[in-house]
Amino acid sequence: MTTHRRPLVLPRLRGRLARLIGREDGAAAVELVFVLPLVMLLFMLAFESGLYMVRHIMLERAVDQTVRDLRLGRLAGIAPDEMHNALKDRICDRAPVLRHCGDTIRIELQPVPTTTWALPAGPVTCFDRDEEVNPSLTPKPGVGNELMLVRVCVIQDAIFPGTAFSQAIKSDEQGGYRLVSINGFVNEP
């Protein structure tokens, strides 16, 4: 009777595993796997917050220039029912970095009584992309020497909606955030 010797698989497997664990040629790849997501997250966060600031500054500048035109009477020949569209077009033309500005901008223009100094109650009205019908606000251009308040709100979409910054400033269900600008002026007599 002959006995067959079975090869010892376990010691061979253990030896190969020890040699594999001892190798260092994949160390950089392991570090990359741990560090790359953090670097990409920081890049996306910096890019998104920078774009937010650029958009907000451009909106502020466009509103300031448009309010200057309004204050100096450069929009005096426009009918009151066309005032909202005229203001919207001027602001959106002066802020080209705002995507779909004409579709998501809301402008409130209303007088502030100097006897009570009562400012409008509630937050600035923004465009609601979830609603099919958004009522138009009719601006009240006011009369000479009247204090006017302009409140503008634009909805913008985040470039990287999954970042913590985008989630923190999100204001609608579609991932958009609000950019608000408030300005005041006195009508020239």
Side-chain angles (χ1 to χ4, degrees):
M1 178 185 255
T2 61
T3 60
H4 293 290
R5 291 189 70 187
R6 296 181 75 191
L8 299 174
V9 176
L10 196 58
R12 283 187 194 166
L13 184 62
R14 195 176 298 155
R16 286 185 184 171
L17 191 59
R19 282 192 304 272
L20 185 63
I21 289 174
R23 293 175 63 181
E24 295 183 14
D25 54 342
V30 172
E31 290 175 6
L32 180 71
V33 166
F34 287 118
V35 173
L36 185 64
L38 180 62
V39 170
M40 289 303 296
L41 181 65
L42 288 174
F43 168 75
M44 292 187 319
L45 180 66
F47 186 81
E48 190 73 53
S49 62
L51 183 63
Y52 173 83
M53 290 304 297
V54 167
R55 286 175 172 171
H56 194 265
I57 289 169
M58 290 296 290
L59 175 66
E60 289 282 343
R61 181 177 180 273
V63 170
D64 284 343
Q65 289 177 334
T66 304
V67 164
R68 184 170 187 255
D69 288 347
L70 190 62
R71 184 185 74 228
L72 295 176
R74 293 181 185 157
L75 301 175
I78 298 173
D81 58 335
E82 292 295 320
M83 182 65 72
H84 188 265
N85 289 334
L87 293 174
K88 178 172 70 169
D89 292 342
R90 285 183 182 247
I91 290 172
C92 291
D93 288 345
R94 290 175 172 160
V97 73
L98 299 176
R99 298 185 66 191
H100 309 293
C101 174
D103 298 332
T104 61
I105 190 170
R106 295 294 297 267
I107 302 168
E108 296 177 16
L109 176 62
Q110 49 197 326
V112 175
T114 55
T115 55
T116 61
W117 296 101
L119 296 175
V124 178
T125 305
C126 278
F127 186 83
D128 190 354
R129 295 190 294 185
D130 297 329
E131 295 290 325
E132 288 186 27
V133 176
N134 277 287
S136 178
L137 300 174
T138 304
K140 302 171 188 105
V143 295
N145 288 325
E146 191 170 33
L147 178 63
M148 301 298 294
L149 185 68
V150 180
R151 302 192 312 171
V152 178
C153 181
V154 178
I155 301 292
Q156 294 291 290
D157 290 321
I159 299 294
F160 303 112
T163 61
F165 181 77
S166 300
Q167 294 298 316
I169 62 172
K170 181 177 87 166
S171 68
D172 70 2
E173 294 303 317
Q174 298 174 5
Y177 54 82
R178 300 165 24 127
L179 294 174
V180 175
S181 177
I182 300 174
N183 204 320
F185 67 97
V186 175
N187 278 326
E188 296 291 328

